[in-house]
Amino acid sequence: MAGSDLVMYEEEFKQIDEELSKLHEQANAKLTFLVDKNGQLITTVGETENLDTTSLASLTAGNIAATGG
């Protein structure tokens, strides 16, 4: 699989972060994070203290790939 580099401008990131914050609030979640298909953590909202969010993002992407999406 060829790797692709994600390029995101500040305004786009702000919009994504705002939408993720809305989702976090509506879901009444403790932690919400956005991960790309390669397991790269894009942003998080919520209680991230004492969590290795990078590893969790990679595990999530691996699980999705292993189960076929």
Side-chain angles (χ1 to χ4, degrees):
M1 176 184 345
S4 64
D5 293 328
L6 176 67
V7 176
M8 187 180 310
Y9 297 100
E10 186 173 352
E11 186 60 33
E12 293 171 324
F13 179 77
K14 286 179 182 178
Q15 290 174 342
I16 289 170
D17 205 39
E18 287 173 12
E19 291 299 319
L20 192 67
S21 293
K22 289 178 191 175
L23 174 64
H24 178 77
E25 185 177 320
Q26 291 172 356
N28 196 28
K30 290 186 178 183
L31 173 64
T32 308
F33 58 99
L34 179 63
V35 180
D36 74 2
K37 65 180 180 178
N38 296 319
Q40 181 69 39
L41 181 64
I42 297 173
T43 187
T44 62
V45 177
E47 302 173 17
T48 59
E49 310 79 42
N50 303 318
L51 286 176
D52 184 357
T53 55
T54 303
S55 295
L56 187 56
S58 295
L59 285 170
T60 302
N63 185 32
I64 301 248
T67 60

